């Protein structure tokens, strides 16, 4: 999008920066879904599946040591238990900080606002600022509500 806008600024210049707001709002919605989904930890999932708590001597998952093997085993256990869907706290952080954090871009948003202000486009900068911040918060809230309704939380 940036290359196309730069290639034809007379026709597309008014769109500069708005693609960043769209990405940030989509990322906020995704983050809302992630953190609105149920939390599952693998010991309680295994307990629910077998009817008894996992013991360190009988559970293959309990024997897994170290990271990332333990994290993989923990998250695999949640997928194996079809009657109890959710994300482990570690998976929520991985998706939230790892994926959504790299997908959205606050620094680009900040530079876009400063550039608009430097060009004398204060109204455009304020609209962009409001759309990004209000839209992002609204999208995160909508994502959380949607996830909670989907999972009956």
């Amino acid at each position: 999008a940036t290359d196309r806008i730069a290639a034809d600024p007379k026709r597309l210049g008014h769109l500069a920066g708005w693609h960043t707001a769209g990405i940030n709002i989509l990322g906020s919605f995704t983050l809302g879904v992630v953190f609105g989904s149920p939390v599952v930890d693998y010991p309680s999932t295994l307990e629910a599946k077998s009817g008894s708590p996992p013991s360190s001597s009988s559970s293959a998952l309990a024997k897994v040591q170290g990271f990332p093997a333990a994290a993989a085993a923990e998250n695999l256990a949640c997928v194996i238990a079809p009657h109890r869907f959710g994300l482990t706290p570690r998976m929520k952080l991985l998706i939230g900080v790892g994926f959504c954090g790299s997908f959205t871009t606050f620094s680009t948003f900040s530079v876009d606002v400063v550039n608009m202000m430097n060009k004398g486009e204060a109204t455009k900068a304020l609209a962009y600022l409001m759309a990004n911040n209000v839209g992002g918060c609204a999208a995160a809230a909508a994502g959380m509500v949607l996830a909670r309704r989907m999972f009956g939380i």
Side-chain angles (χ1 to χ4, degrees):
T2 303
D3 291 340
R4 285 182 178 227
I5 292 169
D8 192 359
K10 285 193 182 242
R11 190 168 64 92
L12 302 173
H14 66 283
L15 298 174
W18 288 100
H19 59 285
T20 303
I23 289 169
N24 288 344
I25 291 169
L26 179 61
S28 296
F29 178 80
T30 304
L31 195 58
V33 170
V34 168
F35 282 93
S37 66
V39 176
V40 177
D41 60 334
Y42 85 87
S44 65
T45 304
L46 290 176
E47 185 174 328
K49 192 171 177 134
S50 68
S52 63
S55 69
S56 60
S57 61
S58 64
S59 173
L61 291 176
K63 294 179 183 177
V64 176
Q65 298 293 320
F67 185 84
E74 175 180 330
N75 294 309
L76 180 61
C78 294
V79 174
I80 292 171
H83 64 281
R84 178 123 191 247
F85 175 80
L87 296 171
T88 65
R90 189 174 283 163
M91 278 303 291
K92 285 187 176 202
L93 285 175
L94 174 71
I95 296 168
V97 176
F99 173 73
C100 291
S102 64
F103 180 66
T104 60
T105 171
F106 186 77
S107 58
T108 302
F109 160 71
S110 301
V111 168
D112 288 342
V113 170
V114 170
N115 283 336
M116 289 175 198
M117 294 297 286
N118 286 337
K119 291 179 186 175
E121 300 172 332
T123 304
K124 183 178 177 181
L126 182 61
Y128 181 63
L129 186 84
M130 295 301 291
N132 204 358
N133 291 336
V134 173
C137 290
M144 288 180 127
V145 167
L146 176 69
R148 289 182 177 157
R149 285 191 180 160
M150 282 176 37
F151 300 113
I153 301 174

